[in-house]
Amino acid sequence: MKPLSTIPATSGWRRTIRLLNSILRPLAFMEERTQKYGDFYQVTFKNAPPTVMTSNPRAIEEILTASEDTFEVGRGNQGLKFLVGDHSLLLLDGKTHQNRRRLLMPSFHGEALQKCSSQIVETTQEITANWRINQPFKVRRVMQEITLRVILKAIFGQDSGERYTRLRELLTNLLEIFNIPLTAIFIFFPSLQKDLGRLSPWGRFLAWKKEIKTLIYEEIQERRERLSSGQEQATDILSLLLLAKDEDGLPLTDEELHDELITLLFAGHETTASALSWLFYWVHSLPEVQDKLRFELNSIGDLSDYKTINKLPYLDAVISETLRIYPIAATTFARILTKPKRIMGYDFAPKTWFMMSVYSLHHREDLYPNPKQFQPERFLQKTYSLYEYLPFGGGNRRCLGSALALLEMKLVTATILQQFQLELTSKKPMFPVRRGLTIAPPAYFSIKVKGLNN
Ligand code: HEM
């Protein structure tokens, strides 16, 4: 068997350039490496275990179907601690992770999801109610306002009032810091995370985060009192978490509750807002796609028929293609081996890191002919396996909110397109940029209202 392709360890300025490349031009960098080293290669480091990067469906299957104790994931996400805290689902592993997932899962599926549908449509209608002909708007801002309000409502049962208005402002401000690709440097170089006061980006980040924490703690406190005095029925995620017990039969601490809520708030709106922004870009760049989509949407009439909207084949294909061509998470969370394992015929030692390169997988010629072209039809002609198409990751860490994200994308698109004719403010092609840990359309991306539908 061929030796495994290996990128040797570097140090000093070479190492910094490598890191800056992966921060500032993540997709091109990933593509160049896949072209040079193939779909299964390892990167070695001077004082750390190697990382294996893969976009090979067989390797991905071997990783995702391994028993749960083969890999740990939480340790690989320590870099997110500054945002989500020590007790976030993202940082947990083993039984605690399993229990927390089991607890949260029903809130993002079945009946609970059904309940979100009307809220998604109403929020979209409310936010777009004052759009006027020729008025341009920044797409991300609108999409983020919709998705943030939807997730606030799912978590806390409400999205307005003084506390929630402030919470919305603070969460938006906090994420705006990462709007500039260069500020992602704070995530990758923790030594730069220094509080230099309100005038510095990191100082502002810490001040806003502290205020968010105070607001969430106040809400937890009040809600606990209302639940225990019987004044409140448990219908939202916060109540559910307040009534839950951990594996030792103890309720979650305020700190655990805070970290879980903040994880859901961030994971639950930022990604969906980027995906929706891409969708509006593609649909308005490609008239043929827009015509087909509008034709399908015109066939349904009433927007309250959520189940029908959820099953529209072309809308579904447009969404799948949007998440294929520029997946919001270009790689999945790292999987770190806990015991020796053979993958693709190679033996790996414990502590080896594995990253599934979603972007390179989604751009394989053999799976997706003409991968740089936006062609929703490919998803109507072929069903891709769980190891060939990975926008939401997979295995026991697969995205908890994927069903909510997909439903949201469908309902927001249907609501807006049924009411408005839109056009891009610029005909120039748009390319993805880094936004924190994700890949997103540039913040300037704007659309304007061309006409209203009756
Ligand atoms: C288009 C929108 C979204 C995309 C592209 C996306 C993508 C992802 C990806 C790639 C992962 C990592 C999976 C892995 O490593 O295998 C993930 C995890 C996660 N996502 Fe999403 N996500 C989206 C929306 C949401 C929403 C709406 C929520 C709602 C709360 C959510 C909550 C989570 C959580 C809690 C995890 C961690 C799961 C765990 O560690 O067990 N995501 N997501």
Side-chain angles (χ1 to χ4, degrees), residues 34-47:
T34 309
Q35 263 166 24
K36 192 161 171 194
Y37 299 100
D39 60 10
F40 191 77
Y41 63 87
Q42 65 174 349
V43 189
T44 54
F45 303 94
K46 282 239 157 73
N47 299 314

Side-chain angles (χ1 to χ4, degrees), residues 6 51 80 88 95 126 152 197 259 289 294 338 342 402:
T6 299
T51 297
L80 288 173
S88 158
K95 274 253 158 328
E126 233 177 276
L152 277 169
D259 293 357
V289 172
R294 284 190 179 277
T338 54
R342 176 168 290 195
S402 59

Side-chain angles (χ1 to χ4, degrees), residues 89-90 97 101 108 151 264 267-268 271-272 275 323 328-329 332-333 335 391-394 396-401 404-405:
L89 183 74
L90 297 170
H97 172 258
R101 247 184 104 95
F108 295 101
I151 195 74
L264 296 175
T271 41
T272 317
L323 294 170
I328 310 303
T332 58
F333 298 148
R335 269 65 173 170
F392 294 106
N396 66 335
R397 308 299 291 220
R398 188 175 191 276
C399 175
L400 196 75
L404 172 62

Side-chain angles (χ1 to χ4, degrees), residues 17-18 110 122 140 187 200 218 250 357:
I17 288 186
R18 193 198 257 184
E122 280 160 27
R140 166 161 216 107
I187 303 176
S200 68
E218 280 171 11
L250 296 169
S357 162

Side-chain angles (χ1 to χ4, degrees), residues 138-140 179 181 277-278 429-435 440-446:
K138 294 229 165 65
V139 181
R140 166 161 216 107
N179 225 346
S277 306
W278 276 128
M430 210 170 66
F431 297 101
V433 292
R434 180 179 280 286
R435 190 180 153 91
Y444 61 76
F445 167 46
S446 303

